[in-house]
Amino acid sequence: MEEKKTTVLNLTDEEFVYPGNRACTGCGLNILYRIGLKAIGRDAILVVPPSCLTVMQGLYPITSTQLSVLNVTFASTAAAASGVKAALRAQKNDHTQVVAWAGDGGTADIGIQALSGAIERGEDFLYICYDNEGYMNTGVQRSGTTPQGALTANTSINGKRERSKDVPAIVAAHSPAYVATCSAAYPMDFHDKIKKALSLKGLKYIHAHTPCPPGWAMEERMAVAIGRLAVSTGIYVLYEIEGGEMRLSEPSAKLLGKKKLPPVSEYLEAQGRFKALGKEAVEKLQQEVDAKWAAYRRQHDVALAARGPQS
Ligand SMILES: Cc1ncc(C[n+]2csc(CCOP(=O)(O)OP(=O)(O)O)c2C)c(N)n1
Ligand code: SF4
């Protein structure tokens, strides 16, 4: 049976973020933080390393967040979340959710060891990585997930040389309870994936693409439009993995029925960080995206054929 989806009409009115915080105008993370906390609810402890999120939440004694938050060192997020969960277990508290919420720098690079260990131990908490594709809080430095060719404060004039790390795939290789990718342009999808993740036991991982106006050199009003372009051009794919089975989420699944997707250049040209990308690099990227979608279409056809004729 199809799960009931959350929409703006049935989303709770309750707010867990006070009005006013230190996010930049048009911040993708800010959208997901507000909606994500509605899915998590009040009975939760957040574990957050240094990042834009710590700044957004506010420095003691000022805060924009109504939930309990444990601010931890960069490398220790998943280890600290494991500890918070152990403390709750010792108190026989099995209702308070533990949610680690970190940036891509704090996840893909600095925190990956603790995250890997937590999944391997089968810890029971939700880990959310918001991926603005750089160390934004400290002035837009490159991270492991910064796309190849993107300009940052510490890349050469040709942009980042290396390819980006596929963190959800790295996490999925550990076989946790749940892996999902999300986007700030689809906050209700994020909301429902959090709900689903929190209903499962074990380590759950959500990776969320969060456009960042200053870091991506784009207009503030364009954050959602650019997030949508990432999905509609097929460069960023929304999916879930549960029980080892991967399923495209609706905004990406509907692209399977399209013969041709909009060119990735539409996504790249909307952002100043890609202005050093030459024609050849853009063509190569397009070929990679086309090959990826050809593979999704083949898998989809095989799955349909295996199901046989539908009555
Ligand atoms: C061990 C350590 N190194 C460096 C820093 C400085 N620092 C604070 S936030 C930050 C950037 C974090 O990047 P990311 O996790 O991607 O989150 P974002 O800033 O993009 O939200 C850095 C380098 C620190 N706090 N601790
Ligand atoms: S730098 Fe980017 S991620 Fe950080 S608060 Fe500003 S828009 Fe959001």
Side-chain angles (χ1 to χ4, degrees):
M1 202 176 71
E2 192 57 23
E3 293 146 43
K4 194 165 172 289
K5 294 210 169 11
T6 304
T7 69
V8 283
L9 298 177
N10 57 19
L11 181 70
T12 176
D13 287 341
E14 205 178 352
E15 295 292 345
F16 301 89
V17 186
Y18 291 110
N21 64 47
R22 291 183 167 100
C24 310
T25 310
C27 171
L29 163 65
N30 202 24
I31 300 172
L32 291 191
Y33 192 57
R34 177 170 167 245
I35 303 297
L37 294 195
K38 285 174 184 269
I40 293 168
R42 216 170 279 283
D43 188 10
I45 299 173
L46 300 179
V47 181
V48 179
S51 55
C52 286
L53 183 53
T54 4
V55 176
M56 248 174 67
Q57 288 171 325
L59 302 178
Y60 183 82
I62 297 164
T63 181
S64 66
T65 303
Q66 300 185 26
L67 265 64
S68 301
V69 180
L70 181 66
N71 278 124
V72 298
T73 57
F74 233 142
S76 71
T77 310
S82 308
V84 172
K85 186 70 196 180
L88 290 170
R89 254 196 321 269
Q91 294 173 353
K92 308 224 178 314
N93 175 339
D94 62 1
H95 51 85
T96 302
Q97 296 285 359
V98 178
V99 180
W101 197 321
D104 50 291
T107 303
D109 305 327
I110 312 174
I112 200 159
Q113 180 175 339
L115 175 60
S116 172
I119 311 174
E120 191 261 339
R121 292 192 304 276
E123 299 287 348
D124 182 21
F125 62 84
L126 169 62
Y127 190 109
I128 299 172
C129 168
Y130 68 93
D131 190 0
N132 52 24
E133 301 183 336
Y135 291 74
M136 297 312 186
N137 176 241
T138 39
V140 192
Q141 292 87 21
R142 74 186 278 298
S143 79
T145 66
T146 301
Q148 196 172 26
L151 292 166
T152 72
N154 61 344
T155 43
S156 75
I157 53 163
N158 298 320
K160 184 182 170 187
R161 273 197 304 268
E162 303 80 10
R163 297 174 68 89
S164 66
K165 283 189 201 178
D166 186 347
V167 184
I170 295 170
V171 171
H174 293 66
S175 302
Y178 182 72
V179 178
T181 57
C182 292
S183 161
Y186 297 92
M188 299 307 158
D189 176 65
F190 181 63
H191 179 282
D192 287 352
K193 283 173 174 166
I194 288 180
K195 281 261 179 227
K196 183 177 197 174
L198 293 178
S199 74
L200 303 170
K201 276 254 167 268
L203 199 304
K204 289 82 60 176
Y205 178 84
I206 295 181
H207 195 96
H209 195 231
T210 54
C212 162
W216 296 12
M218 67 194 207
E219 286 184 64
E220 285 93 348
R221 67 184 177 89
M222 292 297 284
V224 169
I226 287 176
R228 279 179 182 259
L229 269 176
V231 174
S232 65
T233 58
I235 203 165
Y236 193 82
V237 184
L238 299 182
Y239 62 83
E240 298 175 280
I241 303 174
E242 211 185 331
E245 213 169 293
M246 191 258 214
R247 199 161 50 120
L248 292 180
S249 310
E250 198 183 316
S252 290
K254 68 182 186 203
L255 304 183
L256 288 171
K258 296 195 181 219
K259 282 219 168 65
K260 208 166 164 43
L261 307 185
V264 292
S265 55
E266 285 186 18
Y267 171 69
L268 303 171
E269 282 164 11
Q271 301 165 62
R273 66 177 170 153
F274 291 117
K275 66 175 183 232
L277 266 188
K279 207 163 158 270
E280 264 177 40
V282 175
E283 270 164 21
K284 188 164 163 262
L285 188 56
Q286 184 67 61
Q287 283 165 11
E288 283 174 16
V289 172
D290 291 346
K292 183 168 70 177
W293 278 90
Y296 285 143
R297 286 200 179 88
R298 279 196 301 275
Q299 284 159 18
H300 180 66
D301 291 348
V302 169
L304 274 188
R307 248 185 268 159
Q310 304 290 303
S311 56

PDB file of all heavy atoms in Angstrom, residues 24 132-136 139-141 146 150-153 211-218 271-274:
ATOM      1  N   CYS A  24      22.126  32.424   6.219  1.00  0.00           N
ATOM      2  CA  CYS A  24      22.100  33.409   5.136  1.00  0.00           C
ATOM      3  C   CYS A  24      20.721  33.353   4.471  1.00  0.00           C
ATOM      4  O   CYS A  24      20.052  32.322   4.503  1.00  0.00           O
ATOM      5  CB  CYS A  24      23.117  33.070   4.047  1.00  0.00           C
ATOM      6  SG  CYS A  24      24.760  32.729   4.614  1.00  0.00           S
ATOM      7  N   ASN A 132      26.176  20.932   1.486  1.00  0.00           N
ATOM      8  CA  ASN A 132      26.246  22.180   0.711  1.00  0.00           C
ATOM      9  C   ASN A 132      27.524  22.182  -0.122  1.00  0.00           C
ATOM     10  O   ASN A 132      27.919  23.185  -0.690  1.00  0.00           O
ATOM     11  CB  ASN A 132      26.148  23.418   1.622  1.00  0.00           C
ATOM     12  CG  ASN A 132      27.154  23.357   2.757  1.00  0.00           C
ATOM     13  OD1 ASN A 132      28.186  22.683   2.654  1.00  0.00           O
ATOM     14  ND2 ASN A 132      26.881  24.056   3.853  1.00  0.00           N
ATOM     15  N   GLU A 133      28.166  21.035  -0.174  1.00  0.00           N
ATOM     16  CA  GLU A 133      29.299  20.760  -1.066  1.00  0.00           C
ATOM     17  C   GLU A 133      30.505  21.658  -0.798  1.00  0.00           C
ATOM     18  O   GLU A 133      31.188  22.091  -1.728  1.00  0.00           O
ATOM     19  CB  GLU A 133      28.836  20.802  -2.529  1.00  0.00           C
ATOM     20  CG  GLU A 133      27.736  19.776  -2.792  1.00  0.00           C
ATOM     21  CD  GLU A 133      27.258  19.703  -4.242  1.00  0.00           C
ATOM     22  OE1 GLU A 133      27.406  20.702  -4.967  1.00  0.00           O
ATOM     23  OE2 GLU A 133      26.753  18.645  -4.634  1.00  0.00           O
ATOM     24  N   GLY A 134      30.728  21.937   0.476  1.00  0.00           N
ATOM     25  CA  GLY A 134      31.925  22.694   0.836  1.00  0.00           C
ATOM     26  C   GLY A 134      31.942  22.991   2.326  1.00  0.00           C
ATOM     27  O   GLY A 134      30.941  22.779   3.026  1.00  0.00           O
ATOM     28  N   TYR A 135      33.083  23.455   2.807  1.00  0.00           N
ATOM     29  CA  TYR A 135      33.184  23.944   4.194  1.00  0.00           C
ATOM     30  C   TYR A 135      32.733  25.398   4.132  1.00  0.00           C
ATOM     31  O   TYR A 135      33.532  26.299   3.892  1.00  0.00           O
ATOM     32  CB  TYR A 135      34.636  23.860   4.682  1.00  0.00           C
ATOM     33  CG  TYR A 135      35.166  22.466   4.883  1.00  0.00           C
ATOM     34  CD1 TYR A 135      35.503  21.656   3.810  1.00  0.00           C
ATOM     35  CD2 TYR A 135      35.331  21.952   6.166  1.00  0.00           C
ATOM     36  CE1 TYR A 135      35.990  20.382   3.986  1.00  0.00           C
ATOM     37  CE2 TYR A 135      35.821  20.674   6.356  1.00  0.00           C
ATOM     38  CZ  TYR A 135      36.157  19.892   5.267  1.00  0.00           C
ATOM     39  OH  TYR A 135      36.631  18.624   5.453  1.00  0.00           O
ATOM     40  N   MET A 136      31.440  25.615   4.292  1.00  0.00           N
ATOM     41  CA  MET A 136      30.888  26.930   3.993  1.00  0.00           C
ATOM     42  C   MET A 136      31.055  27.892   5.154  1.00  0.00           C
ATOM     43  O   MET A 136      31.326  29.072   4.972  1.00  0.00           O
ATOM     44  CB  MET A 136      29.420  26.794   3.599  1.00  0.00           C
ATOM     45  CG  MET A 136      29.224  25.984   2.326  1.00  0.00           C
ATOM     46  SD  MET A 136      30.335  26.546   1.007  1.00  0.00           S
ATOM     47  CE  MET A 136      29.763  25.583  -0.376  1.00  0.00           C
ATOM     48  N   GLY A 139      34.147  29.904   5.212  1.00  0.00           N
ATOM     49  CA  GLY A 139      34.510  30.738   4.064  1.00  0.00           C
ATOM     50  C   GLY A 139      34.671  30.007   2.754  1.00  0.00           C
ATOM     51  O   GLY A 139      35.522  30.375   1.931  1.00  0.00           O
ATOM     52  N   VAL A 140      33.873  28.950   2.547  1.00  0.00           N
ATOM     53  CA  VAL A 140      33.794  28.252   1.253  1.00  0.00           C
ATOM     54  C   VAL A 140      35.113  27.581   0.846  1.00  0.00           C
ATOM     55  O   VAL A 140      35.716  27.919  -0.178  1.00  0.00           O
ATOM     56  CB  VAL A 140      33.290  29.190   0.121  1.00  0.00           C
ATOM     57  CG1 VAL A 140      32.940  28.405  -1.144  1.00  0.00           C
ATOM     58  CG2 VAL A 140      32.109  30.025   0.557  1.00  0.00           C
ATOM     59  N   GLN A 141      35.553  26.638   1.668  1.00  0.00           N
ATOM     60  CA  GLN A 141      36.687  25.808   1.236  1.00  0.00           C
ATOM     61  C   GLN A 141      36.155  24.505   0.619  1.00  0.00           C
ATOM     62  O   GLN A 141      35.021  24.117   0.872  1.00  0.00           O
ATOM     63  CB  GLN A 141      37.609  25.465   2.424  1.00  0.00           C
ATOM     64  CG  GLN A 141      38.370  26.642   2.994  1.00  0.00           C
ATOM     65  CD  GLN A 141      37.582  27.385   4.062  1.00  0.00           C
ATOM     66  OE1 GLN A 141      36.657  26.854   4.654  1.00  0.00           O
ATOM     67  NE2 GLN A 141      37.946  28.636   4.298  1.00  0.00           N
ATOM     68  N   THR A 146      32.700  18.404  -2.674  1.00  0.00           N
ATOM     69  CA  THR A 146      32.670  19.501  -3.667  1.00  0.00           C
ATOM     70  C   THR A 146      32.798  18.881  -5.063  1.00  0.00           C
ATOM     71  O   THR A 146      33.679  18.050  -5.287  1.00  0.00           O
ATOM     72  CB  THR A 146      33.845  20.482  -3.434  1.00  0.00           C
ATOM     73  OG1 THR A 146      33.738  21.010  -2.109  1.00  0.00           O
ATOM     74  CG2 THR A 146      33.831  21.620  -4.432  1.00  0.00           C
ATOM     75  N   ALA A 150      34.347  22.754  -9.524  1.00  0.00           N
ATOM     76  CA  ALA A 150      33.763  23.890  -8.791  1.00  0.00           C
ATOM     77  C   ALA A 150      34.868  24.758  -8.199  1.00  0.00           C
ATOM     78  O   ALA A 150      35.893  24.255  -7.734  1.00  0.00           O
ATOM     79  CB  ALA A 150      32.844  23.382  -7.681  1.00  0.00           C
ATOM     80  N   LEU A 151      34.631  26.070  -8.223  1.00  0.00           N
ATOM     81  CA  LEU A 151      35.583  27.018  -7.623  1.00  0.00           C
ATOM     82  C   LEU A 151      35.277  27.165  -6.141  1.00  0.00           C
ATOM     83  O   LEU A 151      34.107  27.286  -5.761  1.00  0.00           O
ATOM     84  CB  LEU A 151      35.436  28.387  -8.285  1.00  0.00           C
ATOM     85  CG  LEU A 151      35.881  28.483  -9.745  1.00  0.00           C
ATOM     86  CD1 LEU A 151      35.356  29.772 -10.366  1.00  0.00           C
ATOM     87  CD2 LEU A 151      37.402  28.410  -9.851  1.00  0.00           C
ATOM     88  N   THR A 152      36.306  27.122  -5.321  1.00  0.00           N
ATOM     89  CA  THR A 152      36.136  27.411  -3.891  1.00  0.00           C
ATOM     90  C   THR A 152      37.280  28.341  -3.483  1.00  0.00           C
ATOM     91  O   THR A 152      38.153  28.661  -4.298  1.00  0.00           O
ATOM     92  CB  THR A 152      36.190  26.134  -3.016  1.00  0.00           C
ATOM     93  OG1 THR A 152      37.536  25.663  -2.980  1.00  0.00           O
ATOM     94  CG2 THR A 152      35.262  25.046  -3.511  1.00  0.00           C
ATOM     95  N   ALA A 153      37.289  28.721  -2.189  1.00  0.00           N
ATOM     96  CA  ALA A 153      38.321  29.655  -1.730  1.00  0.00           C
ATOM     97  C   ALA A 153      39.716  29.016  -1.734  1.00  0.00           C
ATOM     98  O   ALA A 153      40.714  29.742  -1.697  1.00  0.00           O
ATOM     99  CB  ALA A 153      37.972  30.133  -0.319  1.00  0.00           C
ATOM    100  N   PRO A 211      21.444  23.603  -1.439  1.00  0.00           N
ATOM    101  CA  PRO A 211      22.033  24.754  -2.117  1.00  0.00           C
ATOM    102  C   PRO A 211      22.382  25.871  -1.131  1.00  0.00           C
ATOM    103  O   PRO A 211      21.648  26.126  -0.163  1.00  0.00           O
ATOM    104  CB  PRO A 211      20.931  25.185  -3.092  1.00  0.00           C
ATOM    105  CG  PRO A 211      20.185  23.925  -3.376  1.00  0.00           C
ATOM    106  CD  PRO A 211      20.188  23.166  -2.074  1.00  0.00           C
ATOM    107  N   CYS A 212      23.508  26.524  -1.416  1.00  0.00           N
ATOM    108  CA  CYS A 212      24.082  27.508  -0.491  1.00  0.00           C
ATOM    109  C   CYS A 212      24.444  28.749  -1.304  1.00  0.00           C
ATOM    110  O   CYS A 212      25.449  28.751  -2.024  1.00  0.00           O
ATOM    111  CB  CYS A 212      25.317  26.857   0.135  1.00  0.00           C
ATOM    112  SG  CYS A 212      26.481  27.978   0.901  1.00  0.00           S
ATOM    113  N   PRO A 213      23.599  29.808  -1.278  1.00  0.00           N
ATOM    114  CA  PRO A 213      23.832  30.966  -2.162  1.00  0.00           C
ATOM    115  C   PRO A 213      25.264  31.530  -2.132  1.00  0.00           C
ATOM    116  O   PRO A 213      25.891  31.646  -3.198  1.00  0.00           O
ATOM    117  CB  PRO A 213      22.774  31.971  -1.712  1.00  0.00           C
ATOM    118  CG  PRO A 213      21.661  31.110  -1.198  1.00  0.00           C
ATOM    119  CD  PRO A 213      22.335  29.937  -0.528  1.00  0.00           C
ATOM    120  N   PRO A 214      25.860  31.848  -0.953  1.00  0.00           N
ATOM    121  CA  PRO A 214      27.206  32.416  -1.051  1.00  0.00           C
ATOM    122  C   PRO A 214      28.248  31.403  -1.533  1.00  0.00           C
ATOM    123  O   PRO A 214      29.164  31.737  -2.282  1.00  0.00           O
ATOM    124  CB  PRO A 214      27.510  32.877   0.389  1.00  0.00           C
ATOM    125  CG  PRO A 214      26.540  32.168   1.262  1.00  0.00           C
ATOM    126  CD  PRO A 214      25.348  31.855   0.420  1.00  0.00           C
ATOM    127  N   GLY A 215      28.091  30.156  -1.114  1.00  0.00           N
ATOM    128  CA  GLY A 215      29.081  29.130  -1.475  1.00  0.00           C
ATOM    129  C   GLY A 215      29.006  28.720  -2.940  1.00  0.00           C
ATOM    130  O   GLY A 215      29.997  28.337  -3.541  1.00  0.00           O
ATOM    131  N   TRP A 216      27.811  28.794  -3.510  1.00  0.00           N
ATOM    132  CA  TRP A 216      27.638  28.347  -4.897  1.00  0.00           C
ATOM    133  C   TRP A 216      27.604  29.545  -5.855  1.00  0.00           C
ATOM    134  O   TRP A 216      27.370  29.383  -7.042  1.00  0.00           O
ATOM    135  CB  TRP A 216      26.351  27.528  -5.053  1.00  0.00           C
ATOM    136  CG  TRP A 216      26.354  26.237  -4.266  1.00  0.00           C
ATOM    137  CD1 TRP A 216      27.251  25.859  -3.301  1.00  0.00           C
ATOM    138  CD2 TRP A 216      25.417  25.147  -4.378  1.00  0.00           C
ATOM    139  NE1 TRP A 216      26.923  24.615  -2.804  1.00  0.00           N
ATOM    140  CE2 TRP A 216      25.804  24.157  -3.440  1.00  0.00           C
ATOM    141  CE3 TRP A 216      24.290  24.916  -5.160  1.00  0.00           C
ATOM    142  CZ2 TRP A 216      25.104  22.956  -3.286  1.00  0.00           C
ATOM    143  CZ3 TRP A 216      23.591  23.724  -5.003  1.00  0.00           C
ATOM    144  CH2 TRP A 216      24.002  22.755  -4.080  1.00  0.00           C
ATOM    145  N   ALA A 217      27.783  30.721  -5.288  1.00  0.00           N
ATOM    146  CA  ALA A 217      27.753  31.964  -6.073  1.00  0.00           C
ATOM    147  C   ALA A 217      26.483  32.045  -6.924  1.00  0.00           C
ATOM    148  O   ALA A 217      26.517  32.064  -8.160  1.00  0.00           O
ATOM    149  CB  ALA A 217      29.004  32.085  -6.941  1.00  0.00           C
ATOM    150  N   MET A 218      25.371  32.032  -6.228  1.00  0.00           N
ATOM    151  CA  MET A 218      24.094  32.095  -6.942  1.00  0.00           C
ATOM    152  C   MET A 218      23.167  33.079  -6.218  1.00  0.00           C
ATOM    153  O   MET A 218      23.418  33.446  -5.069  1.00  0.00           O
ATOM    154  CB  MET A 218      23.439  30.707  -6.958  1.00  0.00           C
ATOM    155  CG  MET A 218      23.008  30.258  -5.579  1.00  0.00           C
ATOM    156  SD  MET A 218      22.622  28.519  -5.521  1.00  0.00           S
ATOM    157  CE  MET A 218      21.453  28.546  -4.175  1.00  0.00           C
ATOM    158  N   GLN A 271      25.078  28.880 -11.582  1.00  0.00           N
ATOM    159  CA  GLN A 271      25.954  29.057 -10.414  1.00  0.00           C
ATOM    160  C   GLN A 271      27.346  29.557 -10.827  1.00  0.00           C
ATOM    161  O   GLN A 271      28.002  28.957 -11.670  1.00  0.00           O
ATOM    162  CB  GLN A 271      26.146  27.715  -9.703  1.00  0.00           C
ATOM    163  CG  GLN A 271      24.852  27.090  -9.238  1.00  0.00           C
ATOM    164  CD  GLN A 271      25.043  25.634  -8.874  1.00  0.00           C
ATOM    165  OE1 GLN A 271      25.791  25.321  -7.968  1.00  0.00           O
ATOM    166  NE2 GLN A 271      24.383  24.748  -9.600  1.00  0.00           N
ATOM    167  N   GLY A 272      27.786  30.610 -10.157  1.00  0.00           N
ATOM    168  CA  GLY A 272      29.097  31.186 -10.452  1.00  0.00           C
ATOM    169  C   GLY A 272      30.247  30.227 -10.159  1.00  0.00           C
ATOM    170  O   GLY A 272      31.320  30.331 -10.748  1.00  0.00           O
ATOM    171  N   ARG A 273      30.040  29.252  -9.253  1.00  0.00           N
ATOM    172  CA  ARG A 273      31.160  28.375  -8.873  1.00  0.00           C
ATOM    173  C   ARG A 273      31.613  27.481 -10.033  1.00  0.00           C
ATOM    174  O   ARG A 273      32.687  26.900  -9.994  1.00  0.00           O
ATOM    175  CB  ARG A 273      30.808  27.523  -7.650  1.00  0.00           C
ATOM    176  CG  ARG A 273      29.728  26.509  -7.872  1.00  0.00           C
ATOM    177  CD  ARG A 273      29.478  25.655  -6.644  1.00  0.00           C
ATOM    178  NE  ARG A 273      28.275  24.850  -6.840  1.00  0.00           N
ATOM    179  CZ  ARG A 273      28.040  23.699  -6.260  1.00  0.00           C
ATOM    180  NH1 ARG A 273      28.921  23.213  -5.416  1.00  0.00           N
ATOM    181  NH2 ARG A 273      26.924  23.036  -6.489  1.00  0.00           N
ATOM    182  N   PHE A 274      30.765  27.343 -11.080  1.00  0.00           N
ATOM    183  CA  PHE A 274      31.147  26.487 -12.209  1.00  0.00           C
ATOM    184  C   PHE A 274      31.650  27.291 -13.404  1.00  0.00           C
ATOM    185  O   PHE A 274      31.760  26.769 -14.501  1.00  0.00           O
ATOM    186  CB  PHE A 274      29.964  25.609 -12.634  1.00  0.00           C
ATOM    187  CG  PHE A 274      29.613  24.553 -11.609  1.00  0.00           C
ATOM    188  CD1 PHE A 274      28.381  24.548 -10.970  1.00  0.00           C
ATOM    189  CD2 PHE A 274      30.532  23.561 -11.277  1.00  0.00           C
ATOM    190  CE1 PHE A 274      28.064  23.580 -10.018  1.00  0.00           C
ATOM    191  CE2 PHE A 274      30.226  22.581 -10.325  1.00  0.00           C
ATOM    192  CZ  PHE A 274      29.000  22.594  -9.700  1.00  0.00           C
TER     193      PHE A 274
END
